[in-house]
Amino acid sequence: MPRLIAFLLAAALLAGSVGWSAYRDALDRLTERGEADLSLAADRVTGQLLRYRELAVILARHPDLKRLLIWGGSPGASVEVVQGMADMTGASDVAAVDLHGRIVAGSSGSSVARDPKEPPLERALDGALGTSNEIVAGPLGPRRYFAFAAPVQSESGVVVGAVMTRVSVAQIEDNWPGDAPPVFFTDRQNRIFVTNRSGLVLADRSDGMPDYESAITAGREVWRIFGDRYLPNRAIHLQRDLPTIGMTAEILIDSSGAFYSAVLWGLIAAGALLTFGAILFFVQQKRAALADRLTVEAAANARLEARVVERTQELTEVNADLRREVSERKEAEAALKRAQDELVQAGKLSALGKMSAGISHELNQPLMAIRSFAENGEQFFDRGKPERARDNLGKISELARRMGRIIQNLRAFARQESGPVTDVDLVDVIDASLEMTADKIHRHEVELVYDRPHLPIMVRGGEVRLQQVVVNLVSNAVDAMSDAPERRLSLTLDTDGPAVRLTVRDSGPGIADPDRVFDPFYSTKEVGAAEGMGLGLSISYGLVQSFGGAIKGLNHPEGGAAFTVELVPAGLEVAA
């Protein structure tokens, strides 16, 4: 019995601790949300009110209003100014007031004179910004306003009057979200001046609020509210001073759910502990019976241990065999990887071989031009025409840069790249690929349609490997159009969507079997043709997949074949 009582007391304490911890965590989360909601509400009210204060400041500098207050005269133009600003901003009234509180120009409803000794006009006539909140009696009950006043000064800095703006509090409250928690703003007289609960309007914080009890729970001020269906029964009370508008912002965050949730967690913990105790008691009862069974099973275990030793020896031998097999498979995979790399390099060298004549032509033309320009330059120097000779030297320099660029592209294309996937400029890759295949495109009289982007398009890949893919696609497209009456090669780039897409389209006869176009050794060319063995597209397929992308080939509805390469945009990780 003492053990049972001790267990029940410990269970009760632990369940209470669980419930209290859950309640405290829930209050912390609600407080964070409440702080954010209070900041949002305070910023919204303050922001809307400051608009009308800034309106008073701006109008105080208006030349028509200054002229009217200094020199007097007809207020016609000034009335249009203040009325227009009142209509545009939604202010209840806007008025220009002289030093005696008389309105010299005002919007409709601003004909009543002001007392220059009352805020906010008193402060404005002293040369500072004035702010006050007002309550005006009306046929439907008192109406609340925020009033602002800004001084109007002459060129010498003397205050000659003020501009007053006034906005209705109801205009601010009408735009409040319907599901927002109770929020109220109290003025210096401790009255609730702005709120999203109509029952709290102008209530005195001291004795006009609904009955409530306040207590500090887990470092939070928690109210228990009685007799008001529009306010929560339990709520966290938060407040913040707003000196810019002379108000204190307060909010009530419903914490009833946190309280009931904490009670529920405490009951769950108590139930779990009682269940654990019952299981523990049941286990204890079974323990004695289990001891008898263990004695009987001890002899059987001895026999089993002998068999385990024997079986362990067998498993050790099997494990050694498996390790040898794994080692052999790893070696085979490494050999396959080397073979694949060699195949990719062979594909590039094959493409270079097919382009060698064109490349020679590309280099020979600038060399011949350089020789001609150099000879002409000597003659120009002999004839005393250094300007013409300088032009020839500039052309020689440009041709040399062109040859250097061609050689650089070829060296980069020929090297064996095995580095990791990085960010690559797809536009530069296409430029280099078209430069290497330019002679082939020219010799086959192919029309190239390519709207080159002005900005880089960064994708994930390897520069040389991606260049090999583009060269293969362009070269295959040109070969496919060898017997076509119309030869047009189109390259398009599409960056809309989750992937960057490069489409290479030709005007040839199309693909006979699109499902097999990426199979190794599949080719539509005649057996023994010099163009290749049908490995280019298969190699390209593997390279694009290693970048995390995809490649597909289809027949275009308007004729010809279209190959689309989808690549991962830069900044995204390629899936392993």
Side-chain angles (χ1 to χ4, degrees):
M1 183 61 69
R3 291 184 179 180
L4 178 60
I5 295 175
F7 174 77
L8 291 177
L9 288 175
L13 290 174
L14 186 57
S17 177
V18 169
W20 173 252
S21 179
Y23 187 49
R24 184 175 56 194
D25 291 343
L27 289 181
D28 290 341
R29 292 193 298 272
L30 288 174
T31 300
E32 291 178 2
R33 191 190 73 184
E35 292 286 358
D37 290 344
L38 182 60
S39 296
L40 184 62
D43 292 344
R44 196 171 64 130
V45 171
T46 304
Q48 292 189 42
L49 292 179
L50 292 183
R51 286 172 49 203
Y52 297 97
R53 188 179 74 177
E54 296 302 321
L55 173 61
V57 174
I58 293 172
L59 287 178
R61 301 173 182 174
H62 197 283
D64 290 343
L65 297 181
K66 278 188 176 184
R67 191 181 305 109
L68 179 63
L69 287 169
I70 296 173
W71 304 106
S74 174
S78 300
V79 171
E80 293 180 1
V81 170
V82 296
Q83 184 63 52
M85 295 303 292
D87 295 339
M88 186 183 305
T89 61
S92 299
D93 60 72
V94 181
V97 183
D98 64 12
L99 295 174
H100 303 289
R102 293 190 299 268
I103 296 177
V104 299
S107 62
S108 59
S110 301
S111 60
V112 180
R114 308 281 179 161
D115 189 347
K117 295 183 179 180
E118 292 185 357
L121 187 55
E122 179 185 17
R123 187 169 171 80
L125 294 180
D126 287 338
L129 290 175
T131 302
S132 69
N133 48 299
E134 303 174 354
I135 300 175
V136 180
L140 300 179
R143 302 184 63 183
R144 295 156 292 147
Y145 295 93
F146 274 97
F148 304 96
V152 178
Q153 297 176 338
S154 65
E155 298 298 330
S156 60
V158 178
V159 176
V160 296
V163 173
M164 292 189 60
T165 59
R166 196 167 64 167
V167 59
S168 173
V169 173
Q171 181 177 338
I172 299 174
E173 294 174 341
D174 289 343
N175 296 325
W176 222 297
D179 58 347
V183 180
F184 47 93
F185 297 77
T186 57
D187 59 13
R188 293 186 177 90
Q189 286 75 36
N190 218 21
R191 295 173 302 185
I192 297 179
F193 202 74
V194 183
T195 180
N196 60 352
R197 295 294 188 271
S198 58
L200 299 179
V201 173
L202 296 179
D204 193 308
R205 281 284 281 107
S206 301
D207 55 8
M209 292 283 293
D211 294 338
Y212 70 92
E213 294 178 355
S214 176
I216 302 299
T217 304
R220 313 294 181 190
E221 183 182 359
V222 179
W223 287 10
R224 288 192 63 190
I225 304 173
F226 308 98
D228 194 316
R229 61 177 181 171
Y230 297 108
L231 297 178
N233 296 329
R234 291 177 180 271
I236 300 174
H237 174 250
L238 303 172
Q239 67 181 28
R240 175 180 296 179
D241 290 332
L242 303 175
T244 56
I245 60 173
M247 293 279 169
T248 299
E250 302 179 62
I251 191 170
L252 295 175
I253 303 298
D254 191 355
S255 63
S256 302
F259 176 78
Y260 295 127
S261 175
V263 172
L264 178 61
W265 276 108
L267 293 176
I268 291 173
L273 289 171
L274 291 176
T275 302
F276 174 75
I279 294 174
L280 187 63
F281 177 77
F282 177 77
V283 169
Q284 189 176 9
Q285 294 296 317
K286 291 292 184 180
R287 187 175 180 181
L290 181 61
D292 295 337
R293 290 179 56 189
L294 290 175
T295 303
V296 175
E297 293 175 355
N301 285 339
R303 293 191 297 270
L304 285 175
E305 287 178 1
R307 294 181 59 186
V308 167
V309 171
E310 180 182 353
R311 184 60 178 163
T312 300
Q313 182 63 31
E314 295 175 359
L315 290 176
T316 301
E317 296 175 358
V318 172
N319 189 31
D321 294 338
L322 288 176
R323 288 181 178 176
R324 285 193 299 271
E325 184 177 349
V326 168
S327 177
E328 292 173 357
R329 289 190 177 184
K330 288 183 177 179
E331 292 177 359
E333 289 177 357
L336 179 60
K337 180 65 170 61
R338 288 194 298 272
Q340 289 174 340
D341 293 340
E342 293 172 358
L343 183 60
V344 170
Q345 187 67 12
K348 288 194 290 186
L349 295 178
S350 175
L352 283 175
K354 289 185 285 185
M355 294 188 295
S356 60
I359 294 167
S360 175
H361 180 70
E362 285 291 314
L363 293 176
N364 190 48
Q365 276 189 332
L367 283 173
M368 295 298 295
I370 288 172
R371 179 180 177 182
S372 175
F373 285 131
E375 292 174 353
N376 291 338
E378 290 179 357
Q379 296 179 7
F380 285 134
F381 273 118
D382 293 340
R383 296 174 184 177
K385 297 181 178 180
E387 295 297 330
R388 297 290 300 275
R390 185 178 293 106
D391 291 340
N392 281 14
L393 290 175
K395 293 176 181 178
I396 291 172
S397 177
E398 178 61 30
L399 290 170
R401 280 195 294 270
R402 177 186 172 191
M403 293 174 63
R405 191 167 59 251
I406 293 173
I407 295 172
Q408 181 181 3
N409 290 335
L410 290 174
R411 291 177 62 187
F413 184 77
R415 74 172 183 262
Q416 187 165 0
E417 182 188 60
S418 59
V421 176
T422 58
D423 291 346
V424 178
D425 184 1
L426 183 56
V427 177
D428 284 348
V429 170
I430 295 174
D431 290 344
S433 302
L434 291 177
E435 196 164 44
M436 285 191 288
T437 55
D439 182 73
K440 184 171 184 177
I441 294 173
H442 177 72
R443 284 188 289 105
H444 287 75
E445 298 179 352
V446 174
E447 177 189 357
L448 177 62
V449 180
Y450 173 46
D451 186 9
R452 185 185 185 277
H454 298 293
L455 298 176
I457 299 177
M458 306 304 293
V459 296
R460 299 290 289 169
E463 183 177 3
V464 176
R465 289 171 284 173
L466 187 55
Q467 199 177 106
Q468 182 175 357
V469 173
V470 178
V471 168
N472 281 339
L473 294 179
V474 171
S475 181
N476 286 349
V478 173
D479 291 340
M481 296 184 290
S482 58
D483 297 328
E486 181 183 6
R487 301 169 187 173
R488 181 184 297 108
L489 174 63
S490 302
L491 275 72
T492 57
L493 283 168
D494 184 7
T495 57
D496 295 335
V500 176
R501 292 183 294 277
L502 166 64
T503 301
V504 179
R505 180 190 167 196
D506 60 60
S507 58
I511 308 171
D513 191 354
D515 294 334
R516 296 184 55 206
V517 71
F518 295 108
D519 291 348
F521 304 107
Y522 173 78
S523 175
T524 59
K525 302 180 180 69
E526 295 181 1
V527 177
E531 285 78 356
M533 299 175 60
L535 290 174
L537 288 177
S538 178
I539 293 173
S540 299
Y541 183 86
L543 291 175
V544 173
Q545 278 200 329
S546 70
F547 304 150
I551 181 172
K552 56 186 177 181
L554 298 172
N555 288 318
H556 197 275
E558 298 180 2
F563 286 85
T564 301
V565 179
E566 296 183 354
L567 299 168
V568 179
L572 300 179
E573 289 297 329
V574 177

